[in-house]
Amino acid sequence: MEDGKQHVYIIGSKGIPAKYGGFETFVEKLTEYQVDKNIQYHVACMTENSAKSGISDKHFEHNGAKCFNIDVPNIGPARAIYYDIAALRYAIQIAKNNQNHRPIFYVLACRIGPVINNLKKQISDLNGKLFINPDGHEWMRGKWKYPIRRYWKYSERLMVKHTDELICDSKNIEKYIKKEYGKYSPKTNYISYGTDLTKSTLNSNSPIVQKWFEEKNVKEKDYFLVVGRFVPENNYKTMISQFMKSNTIRDFVIITNVEENRLYKKIKKETRFDKDNRIKFVG
């Protein structure tokens, strides 16, 4: 039954506790540092490597948020689309069963445009609101083949058309949305990501730091560091190939989510970085 709280359902991150990824870290920190206790967060979580599909029996709490698992089959690029649709449908059902008053459904990324109109009607029937975070220019990313990029652009347009409000974490994205989809008069709100201003208690003498340097065969203050997702648009090939032309004796330390995937093998073949012992993927 209704409890007087503002219920916010967050769809589109892989879930919390966060492992890596911008959306996952955002949701983790949003719930961790929650101040207004009149808000009840509900967070969809993807059950990975599932052989079946549907709603998992596992419901749990993390950082005060009520989390629910969605089992998703391994169906390639369409997996994220399936996940968002299943998660949003289930969230709508939870809100309906609990008789939530004016619930908010906050969808991260624009993956489900072709079905959003129908789901928006169900949300409106609950007197709820649909918020969208449009993320970046997903339709321009080099990791996607052309048909998938076309789908992303089409889906983005429909998401913008049917949402109540777009939460943009970049001023440039907000500007792009207003210009590209001006005919829909989109309502936007720019909210930047926060950051933790508390200084680390670790230093060069900390055992965990010394152990890390030893395990990775890296010397303190004797390396260049890159941290980022291992995707084509982050220009790893350019960084690696240009570094290899340098005469520096320092290491090139790369912290990323890389697994030996197609991009990794392609860059390795084209640059032969495995022959340069200065270049170190450290996990």
Side-chain angles (χ1 to χ4, degrees), residues 10-13 23-24 26 80-81 83-85 88 105-113 116 130-138 141 144 151-152 155-160 163 166-167 169 193:
I10 302 177
I11 310 298
S13 77
F23 278 148
E24 289 71 35
F26 157 65
I81 299 171
Y83 168 58
D84 283 2
I85 294 172
L88 184 52
F105 299 86
Y106 185 25
V107 180
L108 308 175
C110 296
R111 289 183 280 253
I112 56 174
I116 199 62
L130 174 65
F131 290 1
I132 303 292
N133 185 314
D135 198 12
H137 299 306
E138 193 69 28
R141 294 181 66 183
W144 303 121
Y151 171 84
W152 269 107
S155 181
E156 178 184 85
R157 179 175 65 82
L158 294 176
M159 296 289 278
V160 172
T163 190
L166 293 122
I167 309 298
D169 53 53
Y193 283 141

Side-chain angles (χ1 to χ4, degrees), residues 8-270:
V8 178
Y9 294 82
I10 302 177
I11 310 298
S13 77
K14 291 182 180 178
I16 53 177
K19 296 178 181 177
Y20 66 86
F23 278 148
E24 289 71 35
T25 302
F26 157 65
V27 178
E28 177 77 34
K29 297 304 178 182
L30 177 70
T31 54
E32 179 182 349
Y33 292 112
Q34 179 180 351
V35 175
D36 188 347
K37 299 304 179 183
N38 289 320
I39 297 174
Q40 177 61 64
Y41 290 110
H42 304 258
V43 180
C45 303
M46 179 188 289
T47 302
E48 299 181 357
N49 301 320
S50 176
K52 58 180 181 177
S53 61
I55 309 302
S56 171
D57 291 333
K58 186 178 179 183
H59 285 240
F60 63 96
E61 288 198 15
H62 179 71
N63 290 342
K66 296 182 182 297
C67 305
F68 55 93
N69 283 336
I70 303 293
D71 292 320
V72 184
N74 188 6
I75 51 177
R79 193 167 187 245
I81 299 171
Y82 179 101
Y83 168 58
D84 283 2
I85 294 172
L88 184 52
R89 283 176 175 167
Y90 189 58
I92 292 171
Q93 189 60 50
I94 293 174
K96 184 177 181 180
N97 292 344
N98 292 340
Q99 300 179 28
N100 294 153
H101 179 67
R102 299 183 184 279
I104 293 172
F105 299 86
Y106 185 25
V107 180
L108 308 175
C110 296
R111 289 183 280 253
I112 56 174
V115 300
I116 199 62
N117 188 30
N118 177 265
L119 294 169
K120 175 62 166 59
K121 290 177 181 177
Q122 296 179 44
I123 291 171
S124 296
D125 289 342
L126 298 173
N127 291 318
K129 295 291 185 181
L130 174 65
F131 290 1
I132 303 292
N133 185 314
D135 198 12
H137 299 306
E138 193 69 28
W139 53 274
M140 294 178 65
R141 294 181 66 183
K143 65 180 280 188
W144 303 121
K145 294 181 179 179
Y146 178 69
I148 297 177
R149 292 202 299 270
R150 285 194 64 183
Y151 171 84
W152 269 107
K153 184 64 174 174
Y154 172 66
S155 181
E156 178 184 85
R157 179 175 65 82
L158 294 176
M159 296 289 278
V160 172
K161 179 180 179 180
H162 294 292
T163 190
D164 292 299
E165 186 167 340
L166 293 122
I167 309 298
C168 304
D169 53 53
S170 160
K171 289 184 178 180
N172 285 333
I173 292 297
E174 182 180 35
K175 183 178 179 181
Y176 158 77
I177 291 292
K178 285 183 174 294
K179 181 179 179 181
E180 184 76 5
Y181 302 109
K183 64 181 179 181
Y184 300 131
S185 299
K187 181 181 179 183
T188 64
N189 193 349
Y190 165 66
I191 304 177
S192 65
Y193 283 141
T195 189
D196 190 343
L197 298 177
T198 304
K199 291 185 177 181
S200 173
T201 58
L202 297 175
N203 57 56
S204 59
N205 295 319
S206 299
I208 190 173
V209 175
Q210 292 182 343
K211 182 181 179 181
W212 188 89
F213 280 125
E214 182 179 347
E215 287 180 348
K216 307 304 180 183
N217 192 26
V218 175
K219 294 181 180 179
E220 183 184 1
K221 298 181 180 180
D222 198 28
Y223 60 92
F224 299 100
L225 177 66
V226 169
V227 181
R229 294 171 63 191
F230 197 72
V231 290
E233 56 267 30
N234 280 349
N235 299 310
Y236 279 97
K237 179 184 175 183
T238 300
M239 288 189 287
I240 289 171
S241 62
Q242 295 305 305
F243 176 84
M244 291 176 68
K245 294 178 182 179
S246 74
N247 295 320
T248 181
I249 60 173
R250 293 189 178 191
D251 288 330
F252 187 48
V253 176
I254 303 171
I255 295 179
T256 185
N257 60 311
V258 66
E259 298 172 1
E260 294 200 16
N261 55 21
R262 184 170 59 183
L263 176 62
Y264 179 91
K265 292 176 180 177
K266 181 175 183 290
I267 296 176
K268 180 179 177 180
K269 180 179 179 181
E270 292 176 353

